[in-house]
Amino acid sequence: MPPAKLSSMLSPADAGLFFRLLWALQSYANRRLGLLPGITSPEQYARVPSEEKLAVRQALWDQPDLLEAFVAGNPARLSPEDLQITQSWQRRVSGNFYILRFLKRQAIFLSAGQDARLYGVLGLYDDLAAVMLGQPLPIMVKAVLLPFKGRIIYDGLLQPYPVTFGSGIRGELNEVYQRAKQQDAIVEALEPEAPARPPAKRPKRRDWRPLLDSVVATTEQLRQADTAVQTRAFGVLKASARLAQAAARDPDDLDELDALARRTVTALRQLETALSRAQ
């Protein structure tokens, strides 16, 4: 059987399951705390307006013993599978986050603070781009991230801050994202036992080494040109060709690549100087 197609939000069935479990848990917390008198069942609680649920939600996540007692007593008579999902919410991640990207398979959240981490988060009934109503990225929000069937979701509420970011901060956030993406360091599950996600399909790799060896051999034939600009341009070509050759031969030798990259930058600066002098 082929793997299930990944999406940026839960299936309608899973979204319905999530809210059924969440309302059962929050209804239990409400009965324990007496915050909404007269609401005694998950069915009643589900019909309570969202703004009235806020106090229950906050109290629930602030008092870990409520979740522990719910799982231990199982007052909603959940199945073992559903109870395990609810129990996994003990591994939730709460706080402030930057929403950096809306991708086809998930939104990218960056936790604010010293221990910054990137998370791939799914929407519930709607993808998160629609939930955020087209606000420009990055968006800073207060959120609670929850594990759910090997992926990460949020608890149904995102509280955006009315702030915008200048080009400097946007650049720093983008660099954090690009670095994590390159290192495959985006967290996509909060349960340690979660199954690995299906690997992304990648095109068959081409061996560029013979072609780049030929390019380097050709560039090595370049000697003194007619003008200083031509000479420096040849230097850029030769340095960049050697850099590309090394990247194809041994992409893990970062020291060598860094040294060759610096030589390429130096060659480019020399070209810029020659161009400036020629004006």
Side-chain angles (χ1 to χ4, degrees):
M1 178 181 293
K5 182 179 179 181
L6 296 175
S7 172
S8 63
M9 58 187 178
L10 296 179
S11 68
D14 277 345
L17 170 61
F18 165 68
F19 279 109
R20 179 170 63 84
L21 300 179
L22 184 68
W23 298 154
L25 174 60
Q26 290 189 358
S27 175
Y28 169 79
N30 176 62
R31 292 196 304 273
R32 285 279 301 269
L33 301 173
L35 297 175
L36 300 174
I39 305 300
T40 59
S41 70
E43 293 74 21
Q44 288 179 304
Y45 185 83
R47 295 190 292 270
V48 172
S50 296
E51 58 271 17
E52 295 183 26
K53 293 186 174 89
L54 291 178
V56 178
R57 170 188 181 266
Q58 189 63 46
L60 170 63
W61 300 136
D62 285 346
Q63 301 181 42
D65 59 302
L66 290 172
L67 176 55
E68 295 172 5
F70 177 84
V71 171
N74 193 14
R77 298 182 180 179
L78 301 179
S79 68
E81 294 77 15
D82 291 349
L83 197 64
Q84 185 176 21
I85 292 173
T86 309
Q87 184 177 21
S88 73
W89 295 346
Q90 294 173 337
R91 303 188 184 97
R92 64 189 174 275
V93 180
S94 306
N96 294 326
F97 300 86
Y98 301 96
I99 303 178
L100 302 183
R101 294 287 191 282
F102 295 125
L103 306 179
K104 290 183 178 180
R105 63 185 307 275
Q106 60 194 359
I108 303 300
F109 283 48
L110 170 66
S111 58
Q114 294 182 344
D115 187 22
R117 302 187 72 183
L118 282 164
Y119 299 90
V121 182
L122 299 186
L124 302 173
Y125 280 118
D126 298 292
D127 66 58
L128 284 160
V131 171
M132 300 313 297
L133 301 175
Q135 294 184 53
L137 298 173
I139 306 168
M140 192 172 191
V141 299
K142 184 176 182 180
V144 177
L145 306 185
L146 303 173
F148 187 87
K149 292 188 173 184
R151 300 299 301 279
I152 301 175
I153 60 174
Y154 68 106
D155 75 339
L157 178 65
L158 296 174
Q159 297 172 276
Y161 291 95
V163 295
T164 57
F165 302 97
S167 59
I169 294 179
R170 292 199 306 271
E172 291 175 5
L173 295 174
N174 181 64
E175 177 60 26
V176 171
Y177 168 70
Q178 295 296 344
R179 182 183 294 270
K181 180 181 177 183
Q182 181 172 323
Q183 297 177 357
D184 197 22
I186 298 175
V187 179
E188 296 189 344
L190 298 176
E191 310 102 311
E193 70 277 9
R197 65 178 173 88
K201 291 183 178 180
R202 296 183 179 180
K204 186 177 180 180
R205 290 184 177 180
R206 179 175 175 179
D207 185 359
W208 293 104
R209 289 173 296 179
L211 177 59
L212 289 170
D213 290 344
S214 175
V215 170
V216 170
T218 300
T219 62
E220 290 299 327
Q221 299 176 35
L222 297 173
R223 294 290 184 263
Q224 189 74 23
D226 295 334
T227 67
V229 170
Q230 289 177 343
T231 299
R232 295 308 185 188
F234 291 173
V236 172
L237 180 60
K238 293 165 72 173
S240 59
R242 294 186 193 116
L243 173 59
Q245 180 189 49
R249 284 181 174 177
D250 191 358
D252 295 325
D253 189 350
L254 300 183
D255 290 337
E256 175 67 10
L257 293 176
D258 181 68
L260 291 171
R262 291 176 184 274
R263 293 178 191 174
T264 303
V265 171
T266 298
L268 184 59
R269 288 174 178 167
Q270 291 173 342
L271 173 60
E272 291 173 342
T273 300
L275 288 170
S276 177
R277 291 171 176 169
Q279 294 178 357

